[in-house]
Each structure stands twice: as C-alpha cells, then as structure tokens.
C-alpha cells in the first residue's frame, strides 16, 4: 500500500471540502446581506398594498398609565338636574334619566345640536365628546375624555341618548369616571407609523384601506368594580367607518367585545 498516495488523497479531499464549505458560507452571508439591503420599509409595504394615509400626527413622545374610579350617583346629584326625571336606587353606577321635554334632532344629526343641552343640563357635560350615532339602536353615544383625549369604548364613562320614532331624544343613561390620576412615570410611546406596522403585520389592516383619522386616547387595561387602569392607545379610523386600536406603550392590538371589555393580540 502506497501511504504517500493515500496521504495526498486525504489532503486533497479535505482541501476540496474546505473550499466547498467556504463557498457555502460566503453564499449564505451574501444572501443575508442581500435580504438586509432589500428589506422593504413599512412605508413601501403600505404603498405596495395600496394603503393610504394622510400625514401622521406629531404628538408628545411620552405618556403614562392612568387610574380612575366609577362614580356612584346619589340623590344629591339628581337634584341638580332640571326638566328631567330620574329613577335612582341610591347609590348607583348608572344614572337613568327621562326628559320632561323631548329634544327634536335632524335626520342628518350633527353633534353641535346637542352641545348646548349637554353643557347646561348634563352632569359633567363638558367632559364628554361625541362618538357616534347608532341608527340600528336609535341611540347617540358620547364618551368621556381626559385632557381632551377620549376614553375609548369605556362603559364606565359614557352617555347613551335614546331616540323615539318621532326622531326625538327622550331619555339617556350616564356613567362617569372620577378621581382620574397618573399612576406611572412617563414612558416613550409607539410612533403612529410603528402602530400601523403592527396592524399591517397582523393582517388587521387590509389592502386598499384608507386611514382617514389618527388620534391618541386611552383604553381600559384593567376593569374592576371599584377602579380601572387606563393605557394610552392609538386609534386609526379606516375608510371613515371602522376603528382599529393599538396600545401605544406595549404595542398590542386591542379589540373591544360587545360588553366594552377588551381583548389584546
């Protein structure tokens, strides 16, 4: 047996293997480089899916969690209401009110129609903002706000006006959150474009959508009978119809169920 030849064959074999492995390594490295270089930006991805949006708002880069307590209404509260009758089992978290004189509204309702009544006749009326008119339920919804930021879909801070078959407001229910306080230090919030990216990656934001409104508010993170924790939340209105919500501190998508409670993704 010629050991010299065998030795040479082994050396050549290992050299060939080393060259092959080096070639594969360079190929993978170059591929990874290419992927990094060619990774599309979120703007490009949205454009590719024909998702349109106006200039995104410039907002404070920091916000914080809040706490709040549902108010218990008493007869002392109802005594302040003029031209209205109430049924109150004292104390109660919900105020049920009937109007002595119904308020006629236009078929094409504008929020400004109710502004004077809410301001002058509803408890804490200046702390609520119009949300929507629900034609299926013949109701008009207002949600409470804090520092001009809406408390989204919060059943403990809302007014529901009821409309009769003559297109008149005849009654309403009211809940109210009090003792709203900041409970954490300020933290950096997600930029609206990053929140949009989350919605897009999860498939919640559909191709050819148009973002018609973007705003920052609060959603209820924890709801207990005696208190709530509220988180800064991005709201994106799609095609003037659907609202999508993203926790502005933690980045989860928020979905509200029919009871106003939230699910996160």
């Amino acid at each position: 047996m010629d050991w010299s030849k065998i030795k040479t064959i082994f050396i050549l074999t290992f050299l060939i293997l080393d060259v092959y492995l080096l070639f594969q390594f360079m190929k993978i490295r170059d591929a990874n480089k290419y992927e990094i270089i060619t990774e599309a930006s979120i703007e490009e991805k949205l454009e590719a899916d024909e998702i349109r949006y106006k200039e995104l708002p410039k907002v404070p880069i920091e916000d914080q969690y809040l706490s709040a307590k549902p108010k218990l209404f008493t007869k002392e509260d109802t005594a302040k209401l003029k031209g209205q009758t109430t049924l109150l089992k004292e104390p109660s978290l919900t105020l049920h009110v009937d109007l002595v004189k119904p308020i006629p509204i236009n078929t094409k309702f504008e929020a400004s129609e109710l502004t004077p009544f809410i301001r002058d006749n509803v408890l804490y009326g200046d702390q609520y903002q119009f949300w929507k008119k629900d034609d299926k339920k013949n109701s008009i919804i207002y949600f409470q706000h804090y520092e001009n930021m809406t408390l989204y879909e919060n059943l403990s801070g809302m007014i529901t006006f009821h409309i009769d078959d003559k297109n008149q407001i005849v009654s309403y229910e009211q809940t109210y959150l009090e003792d709203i306080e900041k409970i954490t230090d300020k933290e950096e919030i997600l930029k609206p474009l990053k929140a949009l990216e989350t919605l897009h990656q999860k498939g919640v934001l559909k191709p050819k959508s148009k973002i018609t409104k973007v705003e920052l508010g609060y959603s209820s993170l924890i709801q207990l009978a005696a208190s709530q924790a509220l988180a800064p939340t991005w709201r994106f209105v799609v095609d003037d119809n659907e609202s999508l919500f993203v926790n502005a501190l933690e980045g989860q998508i928020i979905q509200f169920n029919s009871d106003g409670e939230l699910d996160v993704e």
Side-chain angles (χ1 to χ4, degrees):
M1 182 178 293
D2 191 339
W3 290 105
S4 178
K5 287 184 179 181
I6 293 174
K7 183 179 179 182
T8 301
I9 291 171
F10 271 109
I11 291 172
L12 289 173
T13 301
F14 281 113
L15 283 173
I16 292 170
L17 180 60
D18 287 342
V19 170
Y20 173 77
L21 292 175
L22 178 61
F23 172 76
Q24 291 297 320
F25 171 76
M26 296 294 289
K27 185 177 178 181
I28 293 171
R29 189 189 67 174
D30 290 343
N32 288 338
K33 277 186 177 180
Y34 181 74
E35 286 179 4
I36 293 171
I37 292 171
T38 59
E39 177 70 23
S41 67
I42 179 57
E43 292 93 340
E44 291 169 333
K45 291 177 182 178
L46 295 176
E47 184 178 357
D49 278 346
E50 299 180 51
I51 296 172
R52 296 169 292 158
Y53 57 92
K54 297 180 180 179
E55 183 178 356
L56 297 174
K58 296 178 180 179
V59 296
I61 61 172
E62 293 183 328
D63 208 329
Q64 58 209 121
Y65 289 101
L66 307 176
S67 68
K69 298 177 182 178
K71 176 180 172 57
L72 286 168
F73 291 98
T74 65
K75 290 182 179 179
E76 188 176 326
D77 293 313
T78 62
K80 302 172 185 176
L81 301 175
K82 306 301 180 183
Q84 305 170 67
T85 59
T86 61
L87 286 174
L88 181 69
K89 293 181 179 179
E90 187 178 23
S92 176
L93 292 172
T94 304
L95 195 60
H96 299 271
V97 180
D98 291 320
L99 303 185
V100 174
K101 184 178 180 181
I103 303 172
I105 59 173
N106 294 320
T107 304
K108 293 184 178 180
F109 173 76
E110 296 288 340
S112 58
E113 296 177 47
L114 270 182
T115 299
F117 175 81
I118 295 174
R119 182 189 62 227
D120 299 334
N121 299 280
V122 174
L123 297 174
Y124 317 105
D126 62 341
Q127 296 182 41
Y128 293 84
Q129 291 178 336
F130 173 74
W131 182 251
K132 68 177 181 179
K133 182 174 183 288
D134 190 330
D135 292 324
K136 291 183 179 179
K137 295 183 179 180
N138 288 327
S139 64
I140 299 170
I141 307 297
Y142 281 71
F143 282 118
Q144 195 174 336
H145 63 87
Y146 173 75
E147 294 186 349
N148 210 36
M149 294 165 65
T150 303
L151 310 185
Y152 299 128
E153 301 286 352
N154 199 312
L155 302 186
S156 297
M158 68 183 295
I159 303 173
T160 304
F161 291 98
H162 300 287
I163 306 168
D164 67 7
D165 54 7
K166 296 179 181 178
N167 213 39
Q168 301 178 119
I169 293 174
V170 293
S171 63
Y172 67 88
E173 282 93 43
Q174 179 182 6
T175 55
Y176 180 72
L177 286 168
E178 61 183 1
D179 298 333
I180 299 178
E181 297 178 344
K182 299 169 182 177
I183 57 173
T184 62
D185 294 332
K186 285 190 174 183
E187 302 177 45
E188 185 175 351
I189 67 170
L190 289 178
K191 293 181 180 178
L193 187 61
K194 187 66 177 177
L196 267 182
E197 183 177 18
T198 299
L199 293 168
H200 182 259
Q201 286 178 340
K202 295 287 188 178
V204 179
L205 189 58
K206 304 302 181 184
K208 298 186 178 181
S209 297
K210 182 180 180 182
I211 308 299
T212 51
K213 186 177 183 179
V214 181
E215 65 178 8
L216 190 63
Y218 292 95
S219 62
S220 181
L221 187 66
I222 300 172
Q223 292 191 38
L224 302 174
S227 64
Q228 290 191 15
L230 306 168
T233 301
W234 282 113
R235 176 196 178 207
F236 298 91
V237 181
V238 182
D239 299 321
D240 287 323
N241 180 36
E242 181 184 15
S243 290
L244 303 176
F245 301 93
V246 177
N247 183 311
L249 285 175
E250 300 179 18
Q252 304 105 322
I253 296 173
I254 298 170
Q255 295 181 324
F256 296 95
N257 61 31
S258 58
D259 295 323
E261 296 178 350
L262 58 84
D263 299 314
V264 296
E265 296 184 10

